[in-house]
Amino acid sequence: MRVTSSQSRLLSTETRAAIDTAVASNPVVLFMKGTPETPQCGFSKASIQILGLQGVDPNKFCAFNVLEDEELRQGLKEYSDWPTIPQLYVGNEFVGGCDILMSMHQNGELSKMLEEKGVLVPAESSSEAPSGAPAQS
Amino acid sequence: MSSTPIEDAIRLKITAALQPTALEIHNDSSQHAHHAAMQNSASTSNETHFRVLIASAAFEAKMQPARHRMVYALLKEELERKGGIHALQLRTRTPGEEERLSAKEGVEGEGR
């Protein structure tokens, strides 16, 4: 018989509910170490930079600093079934960590997904079908 | 005892479970020795940051998050242990993807 104490940590109902709320708080949610202005980890920093390069709308984006909340930090691992930070959620769905974000950024999948989810800064505020708008190529 | 027990464990477990057609394990720990999280860590370990490139048929028909979870599951103990792996960068490809993409990268070099 073996008692695995390190694995016995159960995600409390309250923590799960809090993470549910956080994930749903915005279309794009990044759990990171530090803040977007002052990331405390190179992988969190790279993730923020990628989202910036992609042109994610700041009004549709929210970052949570796991360093400020140990319960969130631990709970998130179980919630996402993912042991590392950062973690990106888009439209309530887990996308991945920094490596996945980076490779999706490089192969074009990320911009496609963000476009489809409608979370990018609109190219022009005048929106749909402007006359004489340059075609995107 | 080996001076790189964690790297050995990574190689052993991934090789046994995934039978990779390509496997590279890079220990980047020395680049992160100054990293704040490493200062008070009980570990004087020089095995905290790894970058692992895997090509395996076991990844066929699986999305990237599922592939990474397979590797995380294999290395669960090393990731959870105090003084174990602090950061694990993964590149998980199928043998077909590896062939196609590494040919492309060969021209550009392994940029980051």
Side-chain angles (χ1 to χ4, degrees):
Chain A
M1 195 185 85
R2 194 159 149 258
V3 180
T4 51
S5 62
S6 70
Q7 297 165 13
S8 63
R9 180 194 295 279
L10 285 176
L11 186 55
S12 74
T13 318
E14 301 90 82
T15 305
R16 178 173 289 281
I19 299 175
D20 277 338
T21 306
V23 164
S25 66
N26 273 281
V28 182
V29 173
L30 184 72
F31 295 96
M32 64 181 291
K33 291 182 178 175
T35 63
E37 295 74 30
T38 51
Q40 298 294 312
C41 153
F43 303 111
S44 289
K45 184 177 181 178
S47 301
I48 281 288
Q49 286 174 336
I50 289 172
L51 296 177
L53 284 170
Q54 290 284 340
V56 168
D57 188 340
N59 296 318
K60 296 178 178 169
F61 171 74
C62 182
F64 290 87
N65 181 1
V66 303
L67 297 179
E68 282 184 345
D69 187 340
E70 186 59 24
E71 213 175 311
L72 170 65
R73 183 177 182 173
Q74 293 306 326
L76 199 56
K77 294 179 182 179
E78 192 180 327
Y79 183 93
S80 305
D81 186 20
W82 199 263
T84 56
I85 305 290
Q87 296 181 10
L88 179 72
Y89 279 81
V90 175
N92 262 317
E93 281 174 33
F94 180 78
V95 176
C98 182
D99 296 324
I100 288 177
L101 200 55
M102 180 69 83
S103 72
M104 289 177 74
H105 173 63
Q106 287 166 346
N107 69 19
E109 285 174 30
L110 186 62
S111 75
K112 186 160 166 269
M113 180 188 75
L114 296 172
E115 178 94 53
E116 283 171 4
K117 301 276 184 182
V119 296
L120 299 176
V121 176
E124 281 300 324
S125 46
S126 55
S127 73
E128 312 297 310
S131 57
Q136 266 192 353
S137 57
Chain B
M1 188 176 144
S2 160
S3 62
T4 56
I6 294 187
E7 181 172 339
D8 297 348
I10 294 173
R11 177 165 288 111
L12 204 71
K13 290 182 177 181
I14 289 178
T15 302
L18 303 178
Q19 292 159 342
T21 55
L23 174 61
E24 283 181 37
I25 302 175
H26 300 274
N27 182 347
D28 296 335
S29 306
S30 61
Q31 298 165 29
H32 300 271
H34 63 284
H35 186 169
M38 296 297 94
Q39 300 305 318
N40 53 5
S41 135
S43 75
T44 48
S45 168
N46 52 7
E47 292 195 282
T48 53
H49 291 65
F50 286 95
R51 188 159 44 90
V52 182
L53 318 180
I54 311 166
S56 166
F59 296 141
E60 295 284 357
K62 291 197 165 65
M63 304 284 279
Q64 285 294 346
R67 297 177 186 184
H68 284 213
R69 283 193 180 104
M70 290 165 73
V71 180
Y72 291 145
L74 289 172
L75 302 176
K76 186 173 170 59
E77 196 270 327
E78 287 77 9
L79 283 160
E80 286 181 352
R81 190 203 314 157
K82 270 251 181 302
I85 301 173
H86 175 77
L88 180 62
Q89 285 180 265
L90 292 177
R91 194 185 75 189
T92 48
R93 293 174 174 169
T94 64
E97 290 166 353
E98 176 70 16
E99 199 177 326
R100 188 158 41 82
L101 293 165
S102 64
K104 204 157 65 170
E105 287 159 0
V107 184
E108 298 156 19
E110 194 170 333
R112 273 219 45 191

